[in-house]
Amino acid sequence: MNYILILISAVLVNNFVMARFLGLCPFIGVSTKYSSSLGMGLAVIFVMTMSGSATWFLDRFILIPLNLGFLKTIVFILVIATLVQLVEMIIKKSAPLLYDALGIYLPLISTNCAVLGVTLINIDAGYSLLENIVHSAGGGIGFTLALIILSTIRERLEYAPIPECFKGAPIAFISAGLVSLAFLGFSGLPVK
Amino acid sequence: MKNNRGLAVFLGNLGKDNPVFVQILGICSTLAVTNSVRNTFVMCLGLIFTTALSGTTVSLLRFYIPQRIRMIVTVLIIAVYVIIVDIVLKAWYHEIARELGPYVGLIITNCIVMGRAEAFALQNNPLLSMLDGFSSGMGYTWVLLIIAVIREFFGAGTVWNIKIFDAWTNWTIMIMAPGAFFVLALFIWIVKSFFIREKL
């Protein structure tokens, strides 16, 4: 039951994009087309879950015993960059079709602050390994959900008569604000 | 000549090349920390420190960094300065550090720092890179402070935790997530329509 609560919390209540403002750069950058945001979202779910569990082991068995907690940011960013490279190579060899679909989005993920954010939040919250994996995957799913919602809105905005000065970033932020307002409704759910 | 270049870089980063509202970089922290002026100020000091010094360091090492691994080297250099900021905050300003939470560590992935190191410091001399980093940080700071003042004033009736009106109905929405998006959107819109109309 606890795991379900963590999942719901990460996807809806504390949505990484809408409530915690993480991963906004790709969020605004990629969300102009539905197909590309789906690809980006899947890649993020994958990398988030992988790096969430990898950093848990690193923190528990290397950083804490050696009392090197203050190095966690630097270690985690390296782990994420390495993982992204590794994932890219594995997918390229084993699933060329998937690689073609995700291709350009994979390298972008290493600079996605949502991925680093999820690992840091995991450690702060003191999750167990399984809770950690559930929370990381939930974070990725929440990111994907928000990305897909915004991209479909923006596809329609392409043809809408928007005042000149609002085109581009401002209207994207206004739409994001409205979506975020909708997500605020989930905060009534009895999960933390 | 060199002075002119420096001045142009400096003013550009504050105005027409501003990292936040022109290049739309570093948005995550822009929105996350601006619900209180004090936290914003501390965050901005951290960012100015990081961009200025990481720009200088990257520029000093620019002939020794192999092209293929430059990203990872840049990230490491930035990470060192971010960790310094993090430790200093935790040691002396514990309360603010707790409120800022993971966002201090996330200066590493702040696109402004990475972007300036990558786009400017790798091609220019250390002094100019430091100026560039510093002014990018300043450009980020003034935008953030304005947004923070607006959000804190409407959201809590205070500025820097000082009460402005005694009887003020808090607009709770302003200190929550949607308010941040709306204020930023309106800010970009105003700036765009008044100052940089020719770029549209």
Side-chain angles (χ1 to χ4, degrees), chain A residues 129-191:
Chain A
L129 179 60
L130 205 57
E131 285 172 336
N132 193 325
I133 293 175
V134 172
H135 183 252
S136 312
I141 296 170
F143 179 82
T144 314
L145 186 68
L147 201 61
I148 288 175
I149 293 176
L150 192 73
S151 68
T152 44
I153 295 177
R154 285 184 79 180
E155 276 193 352
R156 288 181 177 233
L157 284 177
E158 287 278 297
Y159 305 106
I162 305 162
E164 195 61 34
C165 289
F166 259 115
K167 281 201 173 129
I171 193 70
F173 283 121
I174 294 275
S175 331
L178 292 172
V179 177
S180 152
L181 209 55
F183 267 87
L184 213 56
F186 290 118
S187 58
L189 290 178
V191 286

Short mmCIF file of all heavy atoms in Angstrom, two decimals, chain A residues 129-191:
data_model
loop_
_atom_site.label_atom_id
_atom_site.label_comp_id
_atom_site.label_asym_id
_atom_site.label_seq_id
_atom_site.Cartn_x
_atom_site.Cartn_y
_atom_site.Cartn_z
N LEU A 129 15.25 0.62 -0.77
CA LEU A 129 15.56 0.44 -2.19
C LEU A 129 14.29 0.38 -3.04
O LEU A 129 14.20 1.05 -4.07
CB LEU A 129 16.38 -0.84 -2.39
CG LEU A 129 16.72 -1.13 -3.84
CD1 LEU A 129 17.54 -0.03 -4.46
CD2 LEU A 129 17.47 -2.45 -3.97
N LEU A 130 13.32 -0.41 -2.58
CA LEU A 130 12.11 -0.58 -3.40
C LEU A 130 11.31 0.72 -3.48
O LEU A 130 10.86 1.12 -4.55
CB LEU A 130 11.25 -1.71 -2.82
CG LEU A 130 10.35 -2.37 -3.85
CD1 LEU A 130 11.15 -2.92 -5.01
CD2 LEU A 130 9.54 -3.49 -3.21
N GLU A 131 11.19 1.40 -2.33
CA GLU A 131 10.50 2.69 -2.32
C GLU A 131 11.19 3.67 -3.27
O GLU A 131 10.55 4.42 -4.00
CB GLU A 131 10.50 3.29 -0.91
CG GLU A 131 9.54 2.63 0.04
CD GLU A 131 9.73 3.12 1.47
OE1 GLU A 131 10.83 3.58 1.81
OE2 GLU A 131 8.78 3.04 2.23
N ASN A 132 12.52 3.60 -3.24
CA ASN A 132 13.33 4.45 -4.08
C ASN A 132 13.02 4.23 -5.56
O ASN A 132 12.79 5.18 -6.31
CB ASN A 132 14.79 4.09 -3.79
CG ASN A 132 15.75 5.09 -4.34
OD1 ASN A 132 15.51 5.63 -5.40
ND2 ASN A 132 16.83 5.31 -3.64
N ILE A 133 12.97 2.94 -5.96
CA ILE A 133 12.70 2.64 -7.37
C ILE A 133 11.30 3.12 -7.75
O ILE A 133 11.11 3.75 -8.79
CB ILE A 133 12.84 1.13 -7.62
CG1 ILE A 133 14.30 0.73 -7.45
CG2 ILE A 133 12.35 0.75 -9.01
CD1 ILE A 133 14.54 -0.75 -7.57
N VAL A 134 10.32 2.86 -6.85
CA VAL A 134 8.95 3.28 -7.14
C VAL A 134 8.88 4.79 -7.29
O VAL A 134 8.27 5.32 -8.22
CB VAL A 134 8.00 2.81 -6.02
CG1 VAL A 134 6.62 3.41 -6.21
CG2 VAL A 134 7.90 1.30 -6.02
N HIS A 135 9.55 5.50 -6.37
CA HIS A 135 9.51 6.97 -6.41
C HIS A 135 10.16 7.50 -7.68
O HIS A 135 9.64 8.42 -8.32
CB HIS A 135 10.18 7.54 -5.16
CG HIS A 135 10.12 9.03 -5.08
ND1 HIS A 135 11.22 9.81 -5.29
CD2 HIS A 135 9.08 9.87 -4.86
CE1 HIS A 135 10.86 11.08 -5.18
NE2 HIS A 135 9.58 11.14 -4.92
N SER A 136 11.31 6.91 -8.07
CA SER A 136 11.99 7.38 -9.27
C SER A 136 11.13 7.14 -10.51
O SER A 136 10.99 8.04 -11.35
CB SER A 136 13.33 6.66 -9.46
OG SER A 136 14.05 6.65 -8.28
N ALA A 137 10.57 5.93 -10.61
CA ALA A 137 9.73 5.63 -11.76
C ALA A 137 8.53 6.57 -11.78
O ALA A 137 8.15 7.11 -12.83
CB ALA A 137 9.27 4.18 -11.73
N GLY A 138 7.93 6.81 -10.60
CA GLY A 138 6.80 7.71 -10.52
C GLY A 138 7.16 9.11 -10.98
O GLY A 138 6.40 9.76 -11.68
N GLY A 139 8.34 9.57 -10.57
CA GLY A 139 8.81 10.88 -11.02
C GLY A 139 8.86 10.95 -12.53
O GLY A 139 8.42 11.91 -13.15
N GLY A 140 9.41 9.88 -13.15
CA GLY A 140 9.52 9.84 -14.61
C GLY A 140 8.15 9.84 -15.27
O GLY A 140 7.91 10.56 -16.24
N ILE A 141 7.23 9.04 -14.70
CA ILE A 141 5.89 8.97 -15.28
C ILE A 141 5.20 10.33 -15.16
O ILE A 141 4.56 10.80 -16.10
CB ILE A 141 5.05 7.88 -14.57
CG1 ILE A 141 5.67 6.50 -14.83
CG2 ILE A 141 3.62 7.89 -15.07
CD1 ILE A 141 5.09 5.40 -14.00
N GLY A 142 5.37 10.97 -14.01
CA GLY A 142 4.77 12.29 -13.83
C GLY A 142 5.30 13.29 -14.85
O GLY A 142 4.55 14.08 -15.43
N PHE A 143 6.63 13.24 -15.08
CA PHE A 143 7.26 14.12 -16.06
C PHE A 143 6.64 13.88 -17.44
O PHE A 143 6.27 14.82 -18.14
CB PHE A 143 8.76 13.84 -16.09
CG PHE A 143 9.54 14.65 -17.08
CD1 PHE A 143 9.94 15.94 -16.77
CD2 PHE A 143 9.87 14.13 -18.31
CE1 PHE A 143 10.65 16.69 -17.68
CE2 PHE A 143 10.58 14.88 -19.23
CZ PHE A 143 10.98 16.16 -18.90
N THR A 144 6.53 12.58 -17.81
CA THR A 144 5.97 12.24 -19.11
C THR A 144 4.54 12.73 -19.25
O THR A 144 4.17 13.31 -20.27
CB THR A 144 6.01 10.72 -19.30
OG1 THR A 144 7.28 10.26 -18.91
CG2 THR A 144 5.75 10.34 -20.73
N LEU A 145 3.76 12.52 -18.19
CA LEU A 145 2.36 12.94 -18.21
C LEU A 145 2.26 14.45 -18.48
O LEU A 145 1.54 14.89 -19.38
CB LEU A 145 1.72 12.59 -16.86
CG LEU A 145 0.23 12.82 -16.72
CD1 LEU A 145 -0.50 11.85 -17.61
CD2 LEU A 145 -0.20 12.64 -15.28
N ALA A 146 3.03 15.23 -17.70
CA ALA A 146 2.97 16.67 -17.86
C ALA A 146 3.43 17.09 -19.25
O ALA A 146 2.84 17.96 -19.88
CB ALA A 146 3.85 17.34 -16.80
N LEU A 147 4.49 16.42 -19.74
CA LEU A 147 5.04 16.75 -21.05
C LEU A 147 4.01 16.49 -22.14
O LEU A 147 3.81 17.32 -23.04
CB LEU A 147 6.28 15.89 -21.29
CG LEU A 147 7.28 16.37 -22.31
CD1 LEU A 147 7.82 17.71 -21.88
CD2 LEU A 147 8.40 15.38 -22.44
N ILE A 148 3.31 15.35 -22.04
CA ILE A 148 2.33 15.00 -23.07
C ILE A 148 1.16 15.98 -23.03
O ILE A 148 0.72 16.48 -24.08
CB ILE A 148 1.85 13.55 -22.87
CG1 ILE A 148 2.97 12.59 -23.28
CG2 ILE A 148 0.60 13.28 -23.69
CD1 ILE A 148 2.66 11.16 -23.03
N ILE A 149 0.69 16.30 -21.83
CA ILE A 149 -0.43 17.24 -21.73
C ILE A 149 -0.05 18.58 -22.36
O ILE A 149 -0.76 19.12 -23.21
CB ILE A 149 -0.83 17.46 -20.25
CG1 ILE A 149 -1.42 16.19 -19.68
CG2 ILE A 149 -1.83 18.60 -20.13
CD1 ILE A 149 -1.75 16.29 -18.21
N LEU A 150 1.13 19.10 -21.99
CA LEU A 150 1.50 20.42 -22.50
C LEU A 150 1.73 20.37 -24.01
O LEU A 150 1.37 21.32 -24.72
CB LEU A 150 2.75 20.95 -21.80
CG LEU A 150 2.96 22.42 -22.14
CD1 LEU A 150 1.95 23.28 -21.43
CD2 LEU A 150 4.34 22.89 -21.78
N SER A 151 2.32 19.27 -24.53
CA SER A 151 2.62 19.24 -25.96
C SER A 151 1.35 19.21 -26.78
O SER A 151 1.27 19.83 -27.83
CB SER A 151 3.49 18.04 -26.29
OG SER A 151 2.77 16.86 -26.13
N THR A 152 0.31 18.50 -26.28
CA THR A 152 -0.93 18.49 -27.05
C THR A 152 -1.57 19.88 -27.04
O THR A 152 -2.11 20.32 -28.05
CB THR A 152 -1.91 17.45 -26.48
OG1 THR A 152 -1.91 17.55 -25.07
CG2 THR A 152 -1.50 16.06 -26.87
N ILE A 153 -1.46 20.58 -25.90
CA ILE A 153 -1.99 21.95 -25.87
C ILE A 153 -1.24 22.83 -26.85
O ILE A 153 -1.83 23.58 -27.64
CB ILE A 153 -1.87 22.55 -24.45
CG1 ILE A 153 -2.75 21.78 -23.47
CG2 ILE A 153 -2.27 24.02 -24.46
CD1 ILE A 153 -2.63 22.26 -22.05
N ARG A 154 0.09 22.68 -26.86
CA ARG A 154 0.88 23.57 -27.71
C ARG A 154 0.68 23.28 -29.20
O ARG A 154 0.80 24.18 -30.02
CB ARG A 154 2.36 23.49 -27.34
CG ARG A 154 2.64 24.22 -26.05
CD ARG A 154 4.10 24.22 -25.72
NE ARG A 154 4.83 25.22 -26.48
CZ ARG A 154 6.14 25.40 -26.34
NH1 ARG A 154 6.83 24.66 -25.51
NH2 ARG A 154 6.75 26.31 -27.05
N GLU A 155 0.40 22.01 -29.53
CA GLU A 155 0.12 21.70 -30.93
C GLU A 155 -1.11 22.48 -31.40
O GLU A 155 -1.17 22.94 -32.53
CB GLU A 155 -0.10 20.20 -31.12
CG GLU A 155 1.20 19.44 -31.29
CD GLU A 155 1.00 18.03 -31.77
OE1 GLU A 155 -0.16 17.58 -31.83
OE2 GLU A 155 2.00 17.38 -32.09
N ARG A 156 -2.08 22.61 -30.51
CA ARG A 156 -3.28 23.38 -30.89
C ARG A 156 -2.99 24.87 -30.93
O ARG A 156 -3.57 25.59 -31.74
CB ARG A 156 -4.40 23.10 -29.90
CG ARG A 156 -4.93 21.72 -30.12
CD ARG A 156 -6.04 21.39 -29.20
NE ARG A 156 -6.49 20.06 -29.57
CZ ARG A 156 -7.74 19.79 -29.84
NH1 ARG A 156 -8.63 20.72 -29.77
NH2 ARG A 156 -8.08 18.57 -30.18
N LEU A 157 -2.12 25.32 -30.02
CA LEU A 157 -1.82 26.75 -29.97
C LEU A 157 -1.18 27.25 -31.27
O LEU A 157 -1.29 28.42 -31.61
CB LEU A 157 -0.87 27.05 -28.81
CG LEU A 157 -1.50 27.05 -27.43
CD1 LEU A 157 -0.43 27.27 -26.39
CD2 LEU A 157 -2.54 28.14 -27.34
N GLU A 158 -0.51 26.33 -31.98
CA GLU A 158 0.12 26.69 -33.26
C GLU A 158 -0.85 27.42 -34.17
O GLU A 158 -0.49 28.35 -34.89
CB GLU A 158 0.56 25.41 -33.98
CG GLU A 158 1.76 24.74 -33.39
CD GLU A 158 3.04 25.39 -33.84
OE1 GLU A 158 3.31 25.36 -35.05
OE2 GLU A 158 3.75 25.94 -32.98
N TYR A 159 -2.11 26.98 -34.13
CA TYR A 159 -3.08 27.54 -35.07
C TYR A 159 -4.00 28.55 -34.41
O TYR A 159 -4.93 29.04 -35.02
CB TYR A 159 -3.91 26.39 -35.68
CG TYR A 159 -3.02 25.36 -36.32
CD1 TYR A 159 -2.81 24.14 -35.72
CD2 TYR A 159 -2.36 25.65 -37.51
CE1 TYR A 159 -1.97 23.21 -36.30
CE2 TYR A 159 -1.51 24.74 -38.08
CZ TYR A 159 -1.32 23.51 -37.48
OH TYR A 159 -0.48 22.62 -38.04
N ALA A 160 -3.75 28.83 -33.14
CA ALA A 160 -4.63 29.76 -32.45
C ALA A 160 -4.17 31.19 -32.69
O ALA A 160 -2.98 31.45 -32.86
CB ALA A 160 -4.64 29.46 -30.96
N PRO A 161 -5.12 32.14 -32.73
CA PRO A 161 -4.74 33.54 -32.92
C PRO A 161 -4.23 34.16 -31.62
O PRO A 161 -5.00 34.64 -30.80
CB PRO A 161 -6.05 34.21 -33.36
CG PRO A 161 -7.12 33.34 -32.80
CD PRO A 161 -6.57 31.96 -32.65
N ILE A 162 -2.91 34.10 -31.41
CA ILE A 162 -2.32 34.61 -30.18
C ILE A 162 -1.71 35.98 -30.47
O ILE A 162 -1.13 36.17 -31.53
CB ILE A 162 -1.20 33.66 -29.70
CG1 ILE A 162 -1.75 32.26 -29.57
CG2 ILE A 162 -0.59 34.13 -28.40
CD1 ILE A 162 -0.69 31.21 -29.55
N PRO A 163 -1.83 36.92 -29.51
CA PRO A 163 -1.17 38.22 -29.72
C PRO A 163 0.33 38.03 -29.95
O PRO A 163 0.95 37.13 -29.35
CB PRO A 163 -1.42 38.95 -28.40
CG PRO A 163 -2.58 38.27 -27.79
CD PRO A 163 -2.60 36.88 -28.29
N GLU A 164 0.90 38.86 -30.80
CA GLU A 164 2.29 38.71 -31.24
C GLU A 164 3.26 38.53 -30.07
O GLU A 164 4.11 37.66 -30.08
CB GLU A 164 2.67 39.94 -32.06
CG GLU A 164 3.93 39.80 -32.88
CD GLU A 164 3.86 38.68 -33.90
OE1 GLU A 164 2.76 38.43 -34.46
OE2 GLU A 164 4.90 38.05 -34.14
N CYS A 165 3.10 39.39 -29.04
CA CYS A 165 4.07 39.37 -27.94
C CYS A 165 3.96 38.13 -27.09
O CYS A 165 4.88 37.81 -26.34
CB CYS A 165 3.87 40.59 -27.05
SG CYS A 165 4.40 42.08 -27.86
N PHE A 166 2.84 37.42 -27.17
CA PHE A 166 2.65 36.24 -26.33
C PHE A 166 3.18 34.98 -26.99
O PHE A 166 3.25 33.93 -26.37
CB PHE A 166 1.17 36.06 -26.01
CG PHE A 166 0.82 36.55 -24.64
CD1 PHE A 166 -0.02 37.60 -24.45
CD2 PHE A 166 1.37 35.91 -23.54
CE1 PHE A 166 -0.33 38.05 -23.19
CE2 PHE A 166 1.06 36.34 -22.27
CZ PHE A 166 0.21 37.41 -22.09
N LYS A 167 3.53 35.07 -28.27
CA LYS A 167 3.97 33.87 -28.99
C LYS A 167 5.24 33.31 -28.38
O LYS A 167 6.06 34.04 -27.84
CB LYS A 167 4.19 34.20 -30.46
CG LYS A 167 2.88 34.25 -31.19
CD LYS A 167 3.05 34.07 -32.68
CE LYS A 167 1.69 33.96 -33.33
NZ LYS A 167 1.52 34.85 -34.44
N GLY A 168 5.39 32.00 -28.46
CA GLY A 168 6.60 31.36 -27.96
C GLY A 168 6.52 31.11 -26.47
O GLY A 168 5.54 30.58 -25.97
N ALA A 169 7.56 31.58 -25.77
CA ALA A 169 7.67 31.24 -24.36
C ALA A 169 6.49 31.71 -23.48
O ALA A 169 5.97 30.92 -22.71
CB ALA A 169 8.98 31.77 -23.80
N PRO A 170 6.04 32.99 -23.59
CA PRO A 170 5.00 33.42 -22.65
C PRO A 170 3.75 32.56 -22.69
O PRO A 170 3.26 32.14 -21.65
CB PRO A 170 4.70 34.85 -23.10
CG PRO A 170 5.92 35.31 -23.75
CD PRO A 170 6.50 34.10 -24.43
N ILE A 171 3.26 32.23 -23.88
CA ILE A 171 2.02 31.46 -23.94
C ILE A 171 2.27 30.05 -23.43
O ILE A 171 1.40 29.44 -22.79
CB ILE A 171 1.42 31.46 -25.38
CG1 ILE A 171 -0.01 30.94 -25.37
CG2 ILE A 171 2.24 30.65 -26.34
CD1 ILE A 171 -0.99 31.88 -24.71
N ALA A 172 3.48 29.53 -23.64
CA ALA A 172 3.80 28.20 -23.11
C ALA A 172 3.74 28.22 -21.59
O ALA A 172 3.22 27.29 -20.97
CB ALA A 172 5.19 27.77 -23.57
N PHE A 173 4.25 29.30 -20.99
CA PHE A 173 4.22 29.38 -19.53
C PHE A 173 2.80 29.55 -19.02
O PHE A 173 2.44 29.00 -17.98
CB PHE A 173 5.09 30.53 -19.03
CG PHE A 173 6.55 30.21 -19.07
CD1 PHE A 173 7.43 30.97 -19.80
CD2 PHE A 173 7.03 29.13 -18.37
CE1 PHE A 173 8.76 30.66 -19.84
CE2 PHE A 173 8.37 28.80 -18.40
CZ PHE A 173 9.24 29.58 -19.14
N ILE A 174 1.98 30.34 -19.73
CA ILE A 174 0.60 30.51 -19.31
C ILE A 174 -0.11 29.16 -19.35
O ILE A 174 -0.80 28.77 -18.39
CB ILE A 174 -0.14 31.51 -20.22
CG1 ILE A 174 0.46 32.91 -20.07
CG2 ILE A 174 -1.62 31.52 -19.91
CD1 ILE A 174 -0.10 33.73 -18.94
N SER A 175 0.10 28.40 -20.44
CA SER A 175 -0.55 27.09 -20.52
C SER A 175 -0.05 26.20 -19.40
O SER A 175 -0.83 25.49 -18.75
CB SER A 175 -0.28 26.40 -21.85
OG SER A 175 -0.08 27.32 -22.86
N ALA A 176 1.28 26.23 -19.17
CA ALA A 176 1.84 25.41 -18.10
C ALA A 176 1.23 25.80 -16.76
O ALA A 176 0.93 24.94 -15.94
CB ALA A 176 3.35 25.56 -18.06
N GLY A 177 1.01 27.11 -16.55
CA GLY A 177 0.41 27.56 -15.32
C GLY A 177 -0.99 27.00 -15.14
O GLY A 177 -1.37 26.58 -14.05
N LEU A 178 -1.76 26.97 -16.24
CA LEU A 178 -3.13 26.44 -16.15
C LEU A 178 -3.11 24.94 -15.85
O LEU A 178 -3.87 24.45 -15.02
CB LEU A 178 -3.88 26.71 -17.46
CG LEU A 178 -4.18 28.19 -17.70
CD1 LEU A 178 -4.76 28.41 -19.08
CD2 LEU A 178 -5.15 28.71 -16.66
N VAL A 179 -2.18 24.21 -16.53
CA VAL A 179 -2.08 22.78 -16.26
C VAL A 179 -1.69 22.56 -14.80
O VAL A 179 -2.24 21.69 -14.10
CB VAL A 179 -1.03 22.13 -17.19
CG1 VAL A 179 -0.87 20.66 -16.84
CG2 VAL A 179 -1.44 22.28 -18.64
N SER A 180 -0.77 23.40 -14.34
CA SER A 180 -0.31 23.30 -12.96
C SER A 180 -1.44 23.56 -11.98
O SER A 180 -1.54 22.94 -10.92
CB SER A 180 0.86 24.26 -12.77
OG SER A 180 0.96 24.70 -11.48
N LEU A 181 -2.31 24.50 -12.35
CA LEU A 181 -3.49 24.79 -11.54
C LEU A 181 -4.37 23.55 -11.42
O LEU A 181 -4.90 23.23 -10.35
CB LEU A 181 -4.28 25.93 -12.21
CG LEU A 181 -5.11 26.86 -11.36
CD1 LEU A 181 -4.27 27.49 -10.30
CD2 LEU A 181 -5.72 27.93 -12.25
N ALA A 182 -4.49 22.83 -12.54
CA ALA A 182 -5.28 21.61 -12.54
C ALA A 182 -4.63 20.56 -11.64
O ALA A 182 -5.30 19.87 -10.88
CB ALA A 182 -5.43 21.07 -13.96
N PHE A 183 -3.30 20.46 -11.72
CA PHE A 183 -2.59 19.48 -10.89
C PHE A 183 -2.73 19.81 -9.40
O PHE A 183 -2.63 18.94 -8.56
CB PHE A 183 -1.11 19.43 -11.27
CG PHE A 183 -0.81 18.38 -12.30
CD1 PHE A 183 -0.92 18.67 -13.65
CD2 PHE A 183 -0.43 17.10 -11.93
CE1 PHE A 183 -0.66 17.70 -14.60
CE2 PHE A 183 -0.18 16.13 -12.86
CZ PHE A 183 -0.30 16.43 -14.21
N LEU A 184 -2.93 21.10 -9.11
CA LEU A 184 -3.08 21.51 -7.72
C LEU A 184 -4.28 20.82 -7.09
O LEU A 184 -4.32 20.57 -5.88
CB LEU A 184 -3.27 23.03 -7.68
CG LEU A 184 -2.71 23.79 -6.51
CD1 LEU A 184 -1.24 23.50 -6.38
CD2 LEU A 184 -2.94 25.27 -6.72
N GLY A 185 -5.27 20.48 -7.94
CA GLY A 185 -6.45 19.80 -7.43
C GLY A 185 -6.12 18.47 -6.78
O GLY A 185 -6.80 18.03 -5.86
N PHE A 186 -5.03 17.84 -7.24
CA PHE A 186 -4.66 16.54 -6.67
C PHE A 186 -4.12 16.67 -5.25
O PHE A 186 -4.01 15.67 -4.55
CB PHE A 186 -3.61 15.86 -7.53
CG PHE A 186 -4.15 15.40 -8.86
CD1 PHE A 186 -3.65 15.91 -10.04
CD2 PHE A 186 -5.15 14.45 -8.91
CE1 PHE A 186 -4.14 15.49 -11.25
CE2 PHE A 186 -5.64 14.01 -10.12
CZ PHE A 186 -5.14 14.54 -11.29
N SER A 187 -3.76 17.88 -4.85
CA SER A 187 -3.15 18.00 -3.52
C SER A 187 -4.16 17.72 -2.43
O SER A 187 -3.81 17.59 -1.26
CB SER A 187 -2.51 19.37 -3.35
OG SER A 187 -3.48 20.36 -3.53
N GLY A 188 -5.46 17.59 -2.80
CA GLY A 188 -6.45 17.21 -1.82
C GLY A 188 -6.40 15.73 -1.49
O GLY A 188 -6.97 15.29 -0.50
N LEU A 189 -5.69 14.94 -2.32
CA LEU A 189 -5.58 13.50 -2.06
C LEU A 189 -4.84 13.26 -0.74
O LEU A 189 -3.93 14.00 -0.41
CB LEU A 189 -4.82 12.82 -3.21
CG LEU A 189 -5.53 12.73 -4.55
CD1 LEU A 189 -4.63 12.08 -5.56
CD2 LEU A 189 -6.81 11.94 -4.40
N PRO A 190 -5.25 12.25 0.01
CA PRO A 190 -4.64 12.03 1.32
C PRO A 190 -3.28 11.35 1.25
O PRO A 190 -3.04 10.37 1.94
CB PRO A 190 -5.67 11.14 2.02
CG PRO A 190 -6.30 10.38 0.91
CD PRO A 190 -6.30 11.28 -0.28
N VAL A 191 -2.38 11.85 0.42
CA VAL A 191 -1.01 11.31 0.40
C VAL A 191 -0.04 12.46 0.56
O VAL A 191 -0.34 13.58 0.17
CB VAL A 191 -0.69 10.54 -0.90
CG1 VAL A 191 -1.38 9.23 -0.91
CG2 VAL A 191 -1.04 11.38 -2.10
#
